[in-house]
């Protein structure tokens, strides 16, 4: 086996505990599910893990050197991600009184939009990459097999577990949100609350060091 069985078990348990604690990705998916329905919540999750998968590939290939050698890249990506989330939040709050529906043509959050927002949100957050290159190596034993292969296996497990956790949240939020969105006043409050969450996430990402 190209990976230490004991370290794998510890990694799996640790990852599950970390994933059930609400974080930026889960809140993002929750907002998309409430606003756009179960399908939007699911596709937002797919978008998030797509971005994460690209980071796993980059980290496994040793591209962590880029952020180490050029710290300005990390800073640019961090502020770009923060600005994007704040922009999304402002748009939701501004458009909450425009009579949006689940119909994409009328301004609702389509599955395609949820997916793309998820990808951009994930890729614009370099802390995901930093987490991977700081967290995953703790469970790698060079004596067990190729480091890049162990990194890839751990990354794949992380992504699979993240998908199950976030997809569950997104679908459940979509089911509940579907009922709520049919009520005009409640729907406006949902958009305002979701927009506020996105703005809060953006500010948090911008000020974190």
């Amino acid at each position: 086996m190209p990976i230490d069985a004991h370290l794998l078990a510890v990694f799996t348990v640790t990852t599950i505990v970390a994933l059930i604690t609400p974080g930026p990705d889960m809140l993002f998916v929750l907002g998309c599910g409430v606003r756009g329905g179960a399908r939007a919540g699911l596709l937002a999750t797919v978008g998030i893990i797509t971005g994460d998968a690209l980071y796993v590939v980059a980290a496994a290939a040793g591209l962590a050197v880029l952020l180490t050698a050029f710290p300005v890249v990390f800073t640019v990506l961090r502020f770009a991600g923060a600005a994007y989330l704040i922009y999304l939040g402002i748009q939701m709050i501004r458009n909450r009184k425009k009579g949006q529906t689940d119909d994409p043509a009328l301004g609702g959050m389509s599955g395609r939009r949820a997916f793309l927002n998820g990808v951009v949100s994930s890729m614009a957050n370099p802390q995901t990459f930093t987490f991977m290159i700081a967290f995953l190596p703790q469970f790698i034993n060079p004596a067990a097999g190729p480091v890049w292969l162990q990194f890839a296996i751990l990354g794949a497990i992380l992504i699979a577990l993240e998908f199950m956790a976030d997809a569950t949240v997104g679908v459940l939020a979509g089911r509940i949100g579907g009922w709520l969105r049919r009520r005009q006043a409640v729907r406006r409050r949902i958009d305002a609350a979701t927009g506020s969450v996105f703005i809060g996430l953006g500010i948090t990402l911008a000020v974190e060091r």
Side-chain angles (χ1 to χ4, degrees):
M1 186 174 183
I3 194 167
D4 187 291
H6 173 70
L7 290 177
L8 178 60
V10 175
F11 168 78
T12 302
V13 173
T14 304
T15 300
I16 291 174
V17 172
L19 289 176
I20 61 177
T21 303
D25 287 347
M26 184 176 288
L27 291 176
F28 182 86
V29 170
L30 176 67
C32 290
V34 169
R35 190 164 184 263
R39 183 169 180 268
L42 181 61
L43 288 176
T45 302
V46 175
I48 289 288
I49 65 170
T50 297
D52 289 354
L54 293 175
Y55 271 140
V56 168
V57 172
L63 295 184
V65 176
L66 176 63
L67 293 183
T68 302
F70 303 101
V72 67
V73 175
F74 181 93
T75 302
V76 170
L77 288 177
R78 178 163 58 85
F79 281 109
Y84 180 71
L85 288 175
I86 292 172
Y87 167 78
L88 287 179
I90 292 174
Q91 288 299 105
M92 289 179 187
I93 293 174
R94 289 182 60 188
N95 296 332
R96 71 186 187 280
K97 296 182 179 180
K98 292 186 177 180
Q100 296 173 334
T101 70
D102 291 338
D103 184 350
L106 298 178
M109 179 173 286
S110 67
R112 179 175 178 272
R113 181 181 175 189
F115 171 77
L116 293 176
N117 284 350
V119 173
V120 173
S121 177
S122 175
M123 293 301 295
N125 183 4
Q127 291 186 357
T128 300
F129 187 71
T130 303
F131 170 79
M132 289 180 180
I133 63 177
F135 178 68
L136 298 186
Q138 308 303 317
F139 304 94
I140 290 177
N141 179 5
V147 171
W148 70 267
L149 181 57
Q150 294 184 60
F151 209 115
I153 292 173
L154 293 176
I157 293 173
L158 173 63
I159 289 172
L161 293 174
E162 182 180 16
F163 175 79
M164 288 188 287
D166 288 353
T168 299
V169 171
V171 171
L172 290 177
R175 299 296 185 190
I176 298 173
W179 178 82
L180 293 175
R181 284 192 307 277
R182 288 191 289 271
R183 288 146 181 82
Q184 291 279 349
V186 175
R187 187 180 66 203
R188 291 172 182 172
R189 293 191 182 96
I190 288 175
D191 284 349
T194 304
S196 298
V197 168
F198 280 19
I199 291 173
L201 290 175
I203 293 174
T204 299
L205 182 57
V207 300
E208 283 184 349
R209 295 292 185 271

